Amino acid sequence: AYWTLTSSCTPKKGDVQMTVATDTAPVTRLLVLGNGFDLASQLDSRFSQFIDADENHGKLEKYLTAIFEFVSDDVMWNHCLSEVFYRDDPQLQYFEPMGNLKKLLPDNIWQCITLYKRTLIDYNNDLHNWSDVEETIRDVVTSEAVKDIGTIQATNPLEIYSHEERFYFSLAYLLFEFKPRSDNMYSFLMRQLNKFEHNFGIYLQTNLKSKVNYDILSNTLLLNLAHREKISVLNFNYTPLLSAYGNTSNVQKEYTTNIHGTWDSPIMGIDHHGLKPDDPAFMFTKTYRIMSNADGSQTVKTLPNTVTSIVFFGLSLSDADYSYFQSIFDYYSIYDRPIKLIFGYSEHGDEPVSKTRTDLTNNLMHLFDRYKPSKQIQVSGEDLLHKLLLENRLIIREYSMRDN
């Protein structure tokens, strides 16, 4: 992903240039881009924005609340579910909230579950960051509730006691045609996740068409992040970088890496730490999902060994992406080599810049607290953090959306 970027003035669609470098100068800067990059470029790429784009989401929240209250009533649960279990065509008249909800449903259970988490579990969590959604996926697929449903299979669902189990089972069986006698709960959830991903990809493409300044803003920000250096780009977003610029057709796909796919085939997943390959939830890890899609059709030098600085921009630094940070830190031997780490942010939306910087600093502290080198190096994350600070190699920097 080797690019040279040039701009002589405030970018306009006709005069911003981006050309593939053909000289032998080394790549000296690695850019690692997260959703904050798209948000700063005025794309509505938050999960909450995706959910709120559905005009029925308010009614959906109302009925999900009613369903949770319903399954929490032991008498109602035992009476009604015993009437419908094992039927090929569940009788939704026993579940008035279910019948009403059926008319409003998206085509996948994950949009319901994530909305349920936001509405019923944590009133303070608006699921702004995609890391929140990935954490929800992890909570569900590693929960005892899903494990129990997966092992109950053909037994009587009256054995499902916890309210969380009942809620998942009711949604899956009564609304999304999960067949407990013949289907596997984890396979069912994966099929539903594929639909969820597809819907979000379509949403992104539709939203981008309404954002006439996205390409100009994203290119300006990219120029500022590059800081006149030759760069390699590791993109965690689903947007193909600078995809709409007419004068960048000479940029080939192999010069950037969308590690989680593009909006045509987005990948959502969880971090693999703490999960063994024989755990049924392992299929939801990013490692497994990326590996299962690897066909060797592209050869990309995403991590050139000539890098002297790494800019992380717009990343939540969440546990879901921890493995990537660990790999990057280890690959470049950050403790021993004089490589600068720059964690960038910019103003976007209504959130004060001061809060953005504070949140980034707190997340950085959490990241280094968790960090342990995978190699045989007796260095803690705290040791690495102190060394970076002493050598002035860790920088938290605000980047402007104006051309510099």
Side-chain angles (χ1 to χ4, degrees), residues 354-380:
S354 58
K355 183 180 184 304
T356 303
R357 185 183 180 93
T358 299
D359 290 346
L360 176 59
T361 302
N362 291 336
N363 290 339
L364 265 176
M365 295 297 296
H366 175 73
L367 174 68
F368 280 100
D369 181 63
R370 182 180 176 187
Y371 174 68
K372 292 181 177 61
S374 58
K375 299 177 181 179
Q376 296 302 314
I377 306 174
Q378 297 302 313
V379 175
S380 69

Short mmCIF file of all heavy atoms in Angstrom, two decimals, residues 354-380:
data_model
loop_
_atom_site.label_atom_id
_atom_site.label_comp_id
_atom_site.label_asym_id
_atom_site.label_seq_id
_atom_site.Cartn_x
_atom_site.Cartn_y
_atom_site.Cartn_z
N SER A 354 -12.14 18.35 23.36
CA SER A 354 -11.50 18.00 24.63
C SER A 354 -11.95 16.63 25.12
O SER A 354 -11.13 15.85 25.65
CB SER A 354 -11.82 19.05 25.69
OG SER A 354 -13.23 19.18 25.87
N LYS A 355 -13.22 16.31 24.92
CA LYS A 355 -13.71 14.99 25.33
C LYS A 355 -13.13 13.90 24.44
O LYS A 355 -12.78 12.82 24.90
CB LYS A 355 -15.24 14.94 25.27
CG LYS A 355 -15.83 13.60 25.76
CD LYS A 355 -17.34 13.59 25.69
CE LYS A 355 -17.91 12.31 26.28
NZ LYS A 355 -17.39 11.09 25.63
N THR A 356 -13.03 14.18 23.13
CA THR A 356 -12.44 13.21 22.20
C THR A 356 -11.01 12.88 22.62
O THR A 356 -10.61 11.71 22.63
CB THR A 356 -12.45 13.77 20.77
OG1 THR A 356 -13.78 14.09 20.39
CG2 THR A 356 -11.89 12.75 19.79
N ARG A 357 -10.24 13.89 22.98
CA ARG A 357 -8.86 13.68 23.40
C ARG A 357 -8.80 12.90 24.72
O ARG A 357 -7.98 12.00 24.87
CB ARG A 357 -8.14 15.02 23.54
CG ARG A 357 -6.65 14.87 23.86
CD ARG A 357 -5.95 16.20 24.06
NE ARG A 357 -4.53 16.00 24.37
CZ ARG A 357 -3.56 16.00 23.48
NH1 ARG A 357 -3.85 16.18 22.20
NH2 ARG A 357 -2.31 15.81 23.84
N THR A 358 -9.67 13.25 25.65
CA THR A 358 -9.69 12.55 26.94
C THR A 358 -10.04 11.08 26.76
O THR A 358 -9.41 10.19 27.35
CB THR A 358 -10.69 13.22 27.89
OG1 THR A 358 -10.30 14.58 28.12
CG2 THR A 358 -10.75 12.49 29.23
N ASP A 359 -11.07 10.82 25.95
CA ASP A 359 -11.47 9.42 25.70
C ASP A 359 -10.33 8.65 25.04
O ASP A 359 -10.09 7.48 25.38
CB ASP A 359 -12.71 9.39 24.80
CG ASP A 359 -13.96 9.88 25.52
OD1 ASP A 359 -13.93 9.98 26.77
OD2 ASP A 359 -14.96 10.17 24.83
N LEU A 360 -9.65 9.28 24.09
CA LEU A 360 -8.54 8.62 23.41
C LEU A 360 -7.42 8.30 24.39
O LEU A 360 -6.84 7.21 24.38
CB LEU A 360 -8.02 9.51 22.27
CG LEU A 360 -6.79 9.00 21.51
CD1 LEU A 360 -7.05 7.64 20.88
CD2 LEU A 360 -6.39 10.01 20.42
N THR A 361 -7.12 9.24 25.27
CA THR A 361 -6.06 9.03 26.26
C THR A 361 -6.42 7.88 27.20
O THR A 361 -5.58 7.01 27.49
CB THR A 361 -5.83 10.31 27.08
OG1 THR A 361 -5.49 11.39 26.19
CG2 THR A 361 -4.70 10.13 28.08
N ASN A 362 -7.66 7.84 27.66
CA ASN A 362 -8.11 6.76 28.54
C ASN A 362 -8.04 5.40 27.85
O ASN A 362 -7.62 4.40 28.44
CB ASN A 362 -9.53 7.03 29.03
CG ASN A 362 -9.61 8.21 29.99
OD1 ASN A 362 -8.61 8.56 30.63
ND2 ASN A 362 -10.77 8.83 30.08
N ASN A 363 -8.46 5.37 26.57
CA ASN A 363 -8.42 4.11 25.83
C ASN A 363 -6.98 3.65 25.59
O ASN A 363 -6.69 2.45 25.57
CB ASN A 363 -9.15 4.26 24.50
CG ASN A 363 -10.64 4.40 24.67
OD1 ASN A 363 -11.20 4.01 25.70
ND2 ASN A 363 -11.32 4.95 23.69
N LEU A 364 -6.08 4.62 25.40
CA LEU A 364 -4.66 4.29 25.25
C LEU A 364 -4.10 3.65 26.52
O LEU A 364 -3.34 2.68 26.46
CB LEU A 364 -3.86 5.55 24.91
CG LEU A 364 -3.58 5.84 23.44
CD1 LEU A 364 -2.87 7.18 23.30
CD2 LEU A 364 -2.76 4.73 22.82
N MET A 365 -4.47 4.21 27.66
CA MET A 365 -4.02 3.66 28.93
C MET A 365 -4.49 2.22 29.08
O MET A 365 -3.75 1.33 29.52
CB MET A 365 -4.54 4.51 30.09
CG MET A 365 -3.98 5.92 30.14
SD MET A 365 -2.18 5.96 30.38
CE MET A 365 -2.05 5.23 32.01
N HIS A 366 -5.74 1.96 28.68
CA HIS A 366 -6.28 0.60 28.75
C HIS A 366 -5.54 -0.33 27.80
O HIS A 366 -5.24 -1.48 28.15
CB HIS A 366 -7.77 0.62 28.41
CG HIS A 366 -8.39 -0.74 28.34
ND1 HIS A 366 -8.66 -1.51 29.45
CD2 HIS A 366 -8.79 -1.48 27.27
CE1 HIS A 366 -9.19 -2.65 29.08
NE2 HIS A 366 -9.28 -2.67 27.76
N LEU A 367 -5.24 0.16 26.59
CA LEU A 367 -4.53 -0.66 25.61
C LEU A 367 -3.16 -1.07 26.12
O LEU A 367 -2.79 -2.25 26.05
CB LEU A 367 -4.39 0.12 24.29
CG LEU A 367 -3.54 -0.54 23.20
CD1 LEU A 367 -4.24 -1.78 22.67
CD2 LEU A 367 -3.27 0.44 22.06
N PHE A 368 -2.39 -0.13 26.64
CA PHE A 368 -1.04 -0.45 27.12
C PHE A 368 -1.08 -1.27 28.41
O PHE A 368 -0.19 -2.08 28.66
CB PHE A 368 -0.23 0.83 27.33
CG PHE A 368 0.32 1.38 26.06
CD1 PHE A 368 -0.30 2.45 25.42
CD2 PHE A 368 1.46 0.84 25.47
CE1 PHE A 368 0.20 2.95 24.24
CE2 PHE A 368 1.97 1.34 24.29
CZ PHE A 368 1.35 2.40 23.67
N ASP A 369 -2.12 -1.09 29.19
CA ASP A 369 -2.27 -1.90 30.40
C ASP A 369 -2.47 -3.36 30.04
O ASP A 369 -2.00 -4.27 30.74
CB ASP A 369 -3.44 -1.38 31.23
CG ASP A 369 -3.62 -2.15 32.52
OD1 ASP A 369 -2.71 -2.11 33.36
OD2 ASP A 369 -4.67 -2.80 32.68
N ARG A 370 -3.16 -3.58 28.93
CA ARG A 370 -3.43 -4.96 28.51
C ARG A 370 -2.28 -5.56 27.71
O ARG A 370 -2.11 -6.78 27.68
CB ARG A 370 -4.71 -4.99 27.65
CG ARG A 370 -5.09 -6.40 27.23
CD ARG A 370 -6.34 -6.44 26.37
NE ARG A 370 -6.59 -7.80 25.93
CZ ARG A 370 -7.52 -8.16 25.06
NH1 ARG A 370 -8.31 -7.26 24.56
NH2 ARG A 370 -7.67 -9.41 24.70
N TYR A 371 -1.48 -4.73 27.07
CA TYR A 371 -0.49 -5.22 26.11
C TYR A 371 0.55 -6.15 26.74
O TYR A 371 1.16 -5.83 27.76
CB TYR A 371 0.23 -4.04 25.45
CG TYR A 371 1.36 -4.47 24.54
CD1 TYR A 371 1.12 -5.15 23.36
CD2 TYR A 371 2.69 -4.21 24.89
CE1 TYR A 371 2.17 -5.55 22.53
CE2 TYR A 371 3.74 -4.60 24.07
CZ TYR A 371 3.47 -5.28 22.90
OH TYR A 371 4.50 -5.69 22.09
N LYS A 372 0.74 -7.27 26.09
CA LYS A 372 1.81 -8.21 26.43
C LYS A 372 2.40 -8.69 25.11
O LYS A 372 1.68 -9.22 24.26
CB LYS A 372 1.28 -9.41 27.22
CG LYS A 372 0.79 -9.07 28.62
CD LYS A 372 0.31 -10.31 29.34
CE LYS A 372 -0.10 -9.99 30.78
NZ LYS A 372 -1.20 -9.00 30.83
N PRO A 373 3.70 -8.52 24.91
CA PRO A 373 4.32 -8.98 23.66
C PRO A 373 4.11 -10.47 23.47
O PRO A 373 4.18 -11.25 24.43
CB PRO A 373 5.81 -8.65 23.86
CG PRO A 373 5.84 -7.60 24.92
CD PRO A 373 4.68 -7.91 25.82
N SER A 374 3.82 -10.86 22.24
CA SER A 374 3.63 -12.28 21.96
C SER A 374 4.98 -12.99 21.84
O SER A 374 5.06 -14.20 21.94
CB SER A 374 2.83 -12.46 20.66
OG SER A 374 3.48 -11.82 19.57
N LYS A 375 6.03 -12.21 21.59
CA LYS A 375 7.37 -12.80 21.50
C LYS A 375 7.95 -12.98 22.91
O LYS A 375 7.42 -12.47 23.90
CB LYS A 375 8.28 -11.90 20.66
CG LYS A 375 7.78 -11.71 19.22
CD LYS A 375 8.69 -10.75 18.46
CE LYS A 375 8.18 -10.55 17.04
NZ LYS A 375 9.02 -9.60 16.27
N GLN A 376 9.05 -13.66 22.99
CA GLN A 376 9.68 -13.92 24.29
C GLN A 376 10.47 -12.70 24.75
O GLN A 376 11.70 -12.68 24.79
CB GLN A 376 10.59 -15.15 24.19
CG GLN A 376 9.86 -16.45 23.88
CD GLN A 376 8.79 -16.76 24.91
OE1 GLN A 376 9.03 -16.66 26.10
NE2 GLN A 376 7.61 -17.13 24.43
N ILE A 377 9.73 -11.63 25.07
CA ILE A 377 10.35 -10.40 25.54
C ILE A 377 9.75 -10.07 26.90
O ILE A 377 8.53 -10.01 27.04
CB ILE A 377 10.09 -9.24 24.57
CG1 ILE A 377 10.55 -9.60 23.15
CG2 ILE A 377 10.78 -7.97 25.04
CD1 ILE A 377 10.20 -8.57 22.12
N GLN A 378 10.59 -9.89 27.88
CA GLN A 378 10.11 -9.61 29.24
C GLN A 378 9.82 -8.12 29.40
O GLN A 378 10.51 -7.39 30.12
CB GLN A 378 11.15 -10.08 30.26
CG GLN A 378 11.42 -11.57 30.24
CD GLN A 378 10.15 -12.39 30.49
OE1 GLN A 378 9.39 -12.08 31.40
NE2 GLN A 378 9.94 -13.41 29.68
N VAL A 379 8.80 -7.65 28.70
CA VAL A 379 8.42 -6.25 28.74
C VAL A 379 6.92 -6.16 28.95
O VAL A 379 6.16 -6.82 28.25
CB VAL A 379 8.80 -5.52 27.43
CG1 VAL A 379 8.28 -4.09 27.46
CG2 VAL A 379 10.31 -5.53 27.22
N SER A 380 6.49 -5.36 29.90
CA SER A 380 5.06 -5.16 30.13
C SER A 380 4.57 -3.97 29.32
O SER A 380 5.36 -3.16 28.83
CB SER A 380 4.79 -4.92 31.62
OG SER A 380 5.32 -3.67 32.02
#
